[in-house]
Amino acid sequence: MAVTPNEGERQRTDVAVAIAAGAGAWEATQELRGVPGVRVVTTPRHAAVLLVAGTIDDEDREPLQRVHDQLPHPRAVVAWRPAGAARDVPAQVVDEDLDAVIAQVHRSRSVVIAEPARGARDLLPDTEPNAWRGVGPFGQGGEGMMGGTPYGRPMTMTGDDRDGLALDQLDLVLGPFLDPLPGPVTLHVTLQGDVLQDAELTVRRARDEWFGEPADPDLRTARRLLRRTAHGLHVAGLDALASRAAALARTVTDDADRAPLARATAGLCRRVRRSGLLWTLRGVGTIDGGDAAQRWRHRIATLTAAIDGSVSGAAPSAEPSAVEAAVVGMTLTDAMATLASVDALQPDAVGVQT
Amino acid sequence: MDAVTVGTGPAVVLIASVLAIGAYLVAVVDRVLFALVAGRPVLWSVVTGPAREAAAVARRQPVTTEAPDRILWVMAPAAYAGLAAMALSVVPLGPGLAVADVRTGIVVFGAAEALAIVAIFLHGWAPNSALPLVAGYRFVGVALSYELLSMFVLIAAALPAESLSIGAIVASQEPVWNVVRQPLGLPLFLIVTAGVTFTGPLAIVDSPDLAGGGAAEDSGVVRLAWVGARAAMLVAFSAAAAAVFLGGWLGPVLPPIVWMALKTAAVAVTVLASRHLLARVSPERFVHIAWTVLLPLAFADLAIAGVVSL
């Protein structure tokens, strides 16, 4: 069978791709949402191919292996990273632009469909993460139905909630490779129902320079914002508009004709306004005096100005602590919408190399 | 009088084929709408696309999680699809063409709608995984808010017919369709349809903000069954909306069943279009709107219908 799909076959057969990206590569991977024949899925369970992009931090190595093993068999893995970057999981490596990645994704999938035995094997043993060690004082089952850490995970205990009820408090780590999160960030939450009682946000620092970025600073900003817009629209359930934004991002190049770009951008922004997105985000996630709807407005305005070549200054990046303060007390869906409305997050100071 | 107009064998074939063909067409239309909104060309592959994708999904391993509720995981899509069949069974597709056009059709339909909540919740519960569980219970928190709308608008539609049979409701629209007589009914019922199929502004179950939510752990045939059941439910609710508000099979020139199919398709396309054009409303905000705005509108709809029927 042909392992190099032609354009026609690409149009016919969608490949379901899950993305796990380092901070330098994450924005660029969002452009896959605009590629016909590729479907970026929201959970690894729906994926046929895992795309690992950029440099993965050491502390994210194990989460990456877990995501890798969450793909159903037969699975294929493609790594998109500059030559010489650190290896993380076994994969077909691509060190060119997105077109090469798309071709490799189709190729890798064709191979595992033709020969399932060549699919990527599990990296981690399929066992309990923590053994059961009986009842006692050393991190195991509590007394009766209460307390303790059965299988190494703390038993949920009740606490007062906002409705005057006492509900279980569930500790949960979201990320670093969770599709609705903007990039490789980790959100450690304490949930009651779907309300965040506590949140801790960890943001990774970009370690890669990425392929094919426009040299013009305005166009670079425009392309960045279109990628963020694509992701934000996806989180709001607007995948078709997300695809439009991502496809538009791919056309923002140094030699592109500005007039059609401006027209297409204006059309996209009009549809975003008509979707009711700004209305749904009114009063949600106020950070530094502005809510998520205002951040989206600012994003659209900056994007329009950047295409016109009249943008001034870089986007302010939000402090993780300010985001944490904003999302506590919110429902999980509002917290995700808040994170997706932020154009840039300040990475943690930990491990900064000067 | 109770009218059971189709025998058991033909009934099973009729319901299964309407739901299966309808569900496939839903997938095709969804692709067409996606392409239009995304600014891509609409290619012939939209017709074969769903079949190819279904084959690809079915070939993948149905993954299991740590300590899942296996029985419920399998039963949830089956129950959800079964409830779609139950809802469709009381909807006549043409004059005298119904599996069970019973006197209590609206009640049976409402029961299917209410039990769908259970199936959706259990589907989120079964994998023993945090995000599907959150999706499941936040849906239950919203469900009552749209369920109530449904009961009021359906009872309002039954008033002029003086019967809870959906066949009688269709026949009562001979002079004028309910969509004209009770203008609030259809828009409110579309919201109900979006809720029970968790689509469009009410896509709060298998949604990307929870990384797939209720379906986050589904793969292989388990996933295929759930996606298919959802599409089948949309078909059943679109058929009910067409019968109750758009005069069902009534219409000039074309055969009655063609009118019914066209109207059902129109409702389904409207709901699917909302999926691509309207952002998801947060569950909390929807509950607020439902109780302060939509429920009073549903009361008004019932009151207007009552006054007109006097």
Side-chain angles (χ1 to χ4, degrees):
Chain A
M1 63 176 282
V3 286
T4 312
N6 57 28
E7 203 55 43
E9 183 175 325
R10 260 186 223 177
Q11 299 278 348
R12 278 207 310 275
T13 324
D14 285 2
V15 188
V17 179
I19 298 172
W26 179 83
E27 280 179 348
T29 61
Q30 296 306 303
E31 291 184 2
L32 271 178
R33 298 187 190 281
V35 176
V38 172
R39 184 183 295 250
V40 177
V41 292
T42 193
T43 161
R45 299 284 195 214
H46 299 177
V49 177
L50 175 67
L51 175 66
V52 182
T55 302
I56 306 296
D57 277 37
D58 289 346
E59 54 264 53
D60 291 341
R61 189 69 47 89
E62 195 191 329
L64 175 66
Q65 291 172 335
R66 280 204 300 272
V67 168
H68 175 282
D69 288 5
Q70 281 167 357
L71 269 77
H73 293 286
R75 62 171 87 103
V77 187
V78 175
W80 185 24
R81 56 175 176 242
R87 293 184 65 245
D88 33 59
V89 292
Q92 288 287 329
V93 180
V94 179
D95 66 348
E96 295 167 68
D97 63 3
L98 192 67
D99 287 324
V101 173
I102 296 160
Q104 183 60 52
V105 161
H106 282 279
R107 257 198 308 275
S108 293
R109 174 174 171 269
S110 302
V111 167
V112 298
I113 283 194
E115 302 171 69
R118 290 179 61 183
R121 298 210 171 84
D122 288 358
L123 300 172
L124 299 168
D126 186 13
T127 55
E128 296 288 357
N130 301 277
W132 173 260
R133 298 202 308 265
V135 175
F138 299 108
Q140 60 281 30
E143 292 296 336
M145 294 292 287
M146 302 296 281
T149 46
Y151 293 107
R153 275 163 282 188
M155 188 82 183
T156 56
M157 298 299 284
T158 57
D160 292 335
D161 82 338
R162 58 179 185 176
D163 298 326
L165 303 169
L167 293 180
D168 280 357
Q169 293 179 314
L170 178 66
D171 274 321
L172 201 58
V173 179
L174 302 171
F177 303 121
L178 195 75
D179 165 79
L181 290 171
V185 305
T186 305
L187 190 63
H188 190 135
V189 297
T190 304
L191 283 179
Q192 269 185 324
D194 63 342
V195 177
L196 276 67
Q197 298 295 357
D198 192 23
E200 190 187 335
L201 185 66
T202 312
V203 183
R204 298 277 179 256
R205 210 162 45 85
R207 297 179 191 279
D208 305 293
E209 280 296 308
W210 215 248
F211 302 90
E213 299 291 330
D216 180 299
D218 282 348
L219 289 180
R220 191 183 272 245
T221 300
R223 194 159 173 169
R224 268 200 56 232
L225 289 176
L226 279 167
R227 292 162 173 177
R228 292 261 169 189
T229 299
H231 177 257
L233 290 170
H234 159 70
V235 173
L238 295 164
D239 276 318
L241 284 182
S243 168
R244 180 180 276 252
L248 185 55
R250 295 192 73 199
T251 65
V252 180
T253 53
D254 283 315
D255 51 3
D257 188 355
R258 299 259 181 141
L261 272 186
R263 268 199 306 280
T265 306
L268 174 73
C269 295
R270 208 164 36 242
R271 281 166 185 267
V272 171
R273 276 192 289 268
R274 284 183 194 159
S275 71
L277 178 66
L278 299 174
W279 176 79
T280 63
L281 295 176
R282 247 189 348 196
V284 171
T286 303
I287 302 170
D288 301 333
D291 62 11
Q294 276 167 297
R295 280 193 297 278
W296 268 95
R297 270 193 210 94
H298 184 261
R299 177 180 279 179
I300 289 171
T302 311
L303 169 62
T304 308
I307 297 277
D308 289 345
S310 59
V311 77
S312 53
S317 58
E319 288 271 5
S321 58
V323 178
E324 286 165 7
V327 298
V328 168
M330 275 186 183
T331 56
L332 201 46
T333 187
D334 285 348
M336 290 298 181
T338 299
L339 277 159
S341 70
V342 174
D343 282 334
L345 280 165
Q346 270 181 24
D348 291 1
V350 181
V352 173
Q353 300 145 359
T354 46
Chain B
M1 58 158 220
D2 285 359
V4 177
T5 44
V6 180
T8 310
V12 171
V13 173
L14 176 74
I15 293 282
S17 55
V18 169
L19 288 180
I21 295 166
Y24 195 87
L25 289 175
V26 162
V28 171
V29 168
D30 193 51
R31 277 165 184 261
V32 171
L33 292 167
F34 182 100
L36 290 174
V37 176
R40 294 182 190 174
V42 180
L43 305 165
W44 280 112
S45 62
V46 296
V47 179
T48 53
R52 288 165 177 279
E53 192 173 0
V57 170
R59 271 201 300 265
R60 292 201 282 270
Q61 166 205 16
V63 176
T64 186
T65 54
E66 186 188 351
D69 194 325
R70 276 174 221 278
I71 294 173
L72 286 179
W73 209 350
V74 174
M75 273 184 53
Y80 192 64
L83 291 166
M86 173 177 157
L88 189 65
S89 70
V90 293
V91 178
L93 305 176
L97 180 63
V99 173
D101 186 13
V102 290
R103 276 179 306 179
T104 51
I106 292 289
V107 180
V108 175
F109 185 86
E113 193 182 299
L115 289 170
I117 299 173
V118 179
I120 293 166
F121 173 75
L122 291 179
H123 180 243
W125 163 271
N128 187 27
S129 174
L131 293 175
L133 179 64
V134 170
Y137 58 60
R138 87 175 178 186
F139 172 75
V140 172
V142 165
L144 180 66
S145 311
Y146 74 73
E147 287 277 325
L148 287 170
L149 303 178
S150 161
M151 290 301 103
F152 285 113
V153 298
L154 290 178
I155 290 167
L159 280 176
E162 297 178 8
S163 165
L164 294 177
S165 139
I166 298 181
I169 292 173
V170 174
S172 80
Q173 296 175 78
E174 194 79 61
V176 56
W177 294 357
N178 279 338
V179 70
V180 177
R181 207 157 44 178
Q182 304 172 3
L184 294 170
L186 182 60
L188 289 169
F189 194 76
L190 288 177
I191 293 170
V192 175
T193 306
V196 81
T197 57
F198 42 96
T199 308
L202 290 179
I204 60 167
V205 185
D206 297 355
S207 50
D209 61 317
L210 298 182
E217 301 282 4
D218 290 353
S219 63
V221 285
V222 177
R223 169 157 169 71
L224 200 57
W226 185 246
V227 171
R230 262 184 88 178
M233 189 63 89
L234 178 58
V235 173
F237 267 71
S238 302
V244 173
F245 298 102
L246 296 173
W249 65 78
L250 301 173
V253 186
L254 298 172
I257 195 144
V258 174
W259 274 114
M260 183 63 188
L262 286 173
K263 292 171 184 178
T264 302
V267 175
V269 168
T270 306
V271 175
L272 287 170
S274 79
R275 175 183 166 180
H276 297 300
L277 296 172
L278 299 177
R280 182 187 57 251
V281 184
S282 90
E284 256 188 319
R285 189 160 287 190
F286 173 75
V287 170
H288 186 79
I289 295 165
W291 286 85
T292 57
V293 179
L294 301 177
L295 205 54
L297 285 177
F299 288 148
D301 181 60
L302 186 55
I304 292 166
V307 170
V308 171
S309 300
L310 282 178

